[in-house]
């Protein structure tokens, strides 16, 4: 039996297609496996953050109740908060969102002016960890579902029998007004970018509080996350708006650092959760593309800085944020040249 050249060509194309399909299927299955591992680990991190918040909430309840409180309403609120913290620790996954939302609502009624500063700081840190862990978890779930629900993936059963991950949605607590008289806003999450040029210099912007124009400070590119955005999308948008540069999201490394800061700005008290990415880019002329009216009023200069330049700015009395950026740059430079995603750590 002989085969014609056409038949051989067809068989070869079929074999090539089957091989390509097999390679794609194996690659996709491996990627799905990594995504499932990521979503599992992100849930474990969120579960730990929620458990820590429950412990802090119980401490807050004890502080509210006091050693011998004679106010029945205060005692009742403390008891409810403690009970919700207990239920949150024991709730299974199906009931967890409902209980955690109830705990968030209870925490939103707490007057932080009645708490010790250390306990206020612990509560703020616990809630910040929940906020960040929840967003990382939901990002991981979104990425997993986006691939898992594609038709070819479903047809070939590349996801195996692993259950589909689920989002976790809870309300974010509003912080009550502080005794300073300034309004404390809800937690603002920001994506910031340590933007490095070929000489390992970082781009810093100089700005000031419009209420205190004589006090200048320096900061990295970045800004607040808008509704529906991921941290990475925010970083890409902010780099374009504040520098005029369009960047590939895949070029960002991180988040590398997490910083929690409370500061007055424009007559308000802001509590900001800042996640820092690293980006390597060729040196460019700074031409902001879409600054807000407030940014145009308050951003006055820019500079590509070495660690020595940062120390010089500090010496003039103009603060540089984050703190000790001159010492942190080496870590950012290392992350910029590493293909593996770094582990987020807290900085000041």
């Amino acid at each position: 039996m002989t085969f014609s050249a056409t038949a051989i060509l067809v068989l070869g194309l079929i074999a090539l297609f089957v091989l390509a399909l097999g390679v794609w299927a194996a690659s996709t299955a491996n990627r799905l496996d990594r995504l499932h591992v990521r979503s599992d680990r992100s849930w474990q991190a969120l579960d730990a953050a929620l458990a820590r918040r429950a412990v802090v909430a119980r401490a807050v309840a004890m502080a509210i109740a006091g050693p011998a409180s004679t106010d029945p309403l205060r005692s009742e609120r403390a008891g409810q908060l403690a009970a919700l913290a207990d239920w949150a620790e024991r709730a299974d996954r199906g009931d967890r969102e409902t209980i955690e939302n109830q705990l968030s609502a209870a925490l939103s009624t707490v007057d932080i002016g009645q708490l010790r500063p250390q306990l206020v700081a612990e509560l703020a840190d616990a809630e910040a960890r929940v906020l960040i862990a929840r967003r990382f978890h939901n990002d991981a779930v979104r990425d997993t579902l986006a691939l898992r629900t594609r038709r070819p993936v479903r047809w070939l059963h590349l996801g195996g029998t692993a259950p589909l991950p689920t989002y976790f949605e809870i309300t974010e607590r509003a912080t009550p007004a502080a005794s300073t008289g300034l309004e404390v806003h809800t937690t603002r999450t920001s994506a910031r970018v340590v933007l490095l040029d070929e000489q390992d210099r970082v781009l810093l912007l100089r700005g000031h509080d419009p209420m205190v124009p004589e006090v200048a400070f320096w900061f990295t590119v970045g800004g607040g996350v808008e509704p529906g955005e991921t941290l990475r999308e925010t970083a890409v948008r902010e780099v374009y708006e504040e520098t005029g540069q369009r960047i590939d999201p895949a070029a960002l490394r991180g988040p590398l650092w997490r910083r929690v800061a409370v500061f007055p700005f424009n007559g308000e008290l802001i509590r900001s959760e800042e996640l820092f990415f690293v980006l390597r880019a060729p040196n460019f002329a700074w031409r902001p593309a879409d600054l807000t009216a407030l940014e145009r009023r308050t951003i006055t200069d820019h500079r590509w800085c070495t660690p020595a330049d940062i120390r010089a700015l500090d010496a003039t009395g103009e603060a540089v944020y984050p703190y000790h950026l001159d010492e942190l740059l080496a870590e950012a430079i290392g992350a910029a040249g590493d293909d593996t995603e770094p582990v987020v750590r807290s900085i000041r």
Side-chain angles (χ1 to χ4, degrees), residues 91-112:
D92 57 30
R93 181 66 175 84
D95 299 327
R96 193 70 175 275
E97 279 189 16
T98 301
I99 300 300
E100 294 292 352
N101 272 306
Q102 292 175 359
L103 181 57
S104 293
L107 287 170
S108 70
T109 66
V110 173
D111 181 3
I112 60 175

Side-chain angles (χ1 to χ4, degrees), residues 219-243:
F219 52 94
T220 57
V221 172
V225 176
E226 295 184 351
E229 280 188 331
T230 65
L231 286 168
R232 193 170 293 264
E233 289 168 346
T234 300
V236 171
R237 175 179 55 78
E238 289 288 340
V239 168
Y240 172 69
E241 292 177 353
E242 296 186 353
T243 73

Side-chain angles (χ1 to χ4, degrees), residues 61-80 109 111 114:
M62 294 176 62
I64 293 173
S69 176
T70 58
D71 184 348
L73 181 59
R74 186 172 174 177
S75 297
E76 181 182 356
R77 288 179 176 175
Q80 290 174 346
T109 66
D111 181 3
Q114 299 177 355

Side-chain angles (χ1 to χ4, degrees), residues 12 64 76 88 92 137 184 250 267 279 291 298 303 318 322 325:
I64 293 173
E76 181 182 356
D92 57 30
H137 172 69
V184 183
L279 175 67
L291 295 181
T298 57
R303 188 178 301 179
E318 296 189 352
L325 182 57

Side-chain angles (χ1 to χ4, degrees), residues 51-71:
R52 183 173 183 271
R53 186 178 75 154
V55 171
V56 177
R58 192 178 297 107
V60 170
M62 294 176 62
I64 293 173
S69 176
T70 58
D71 184 348

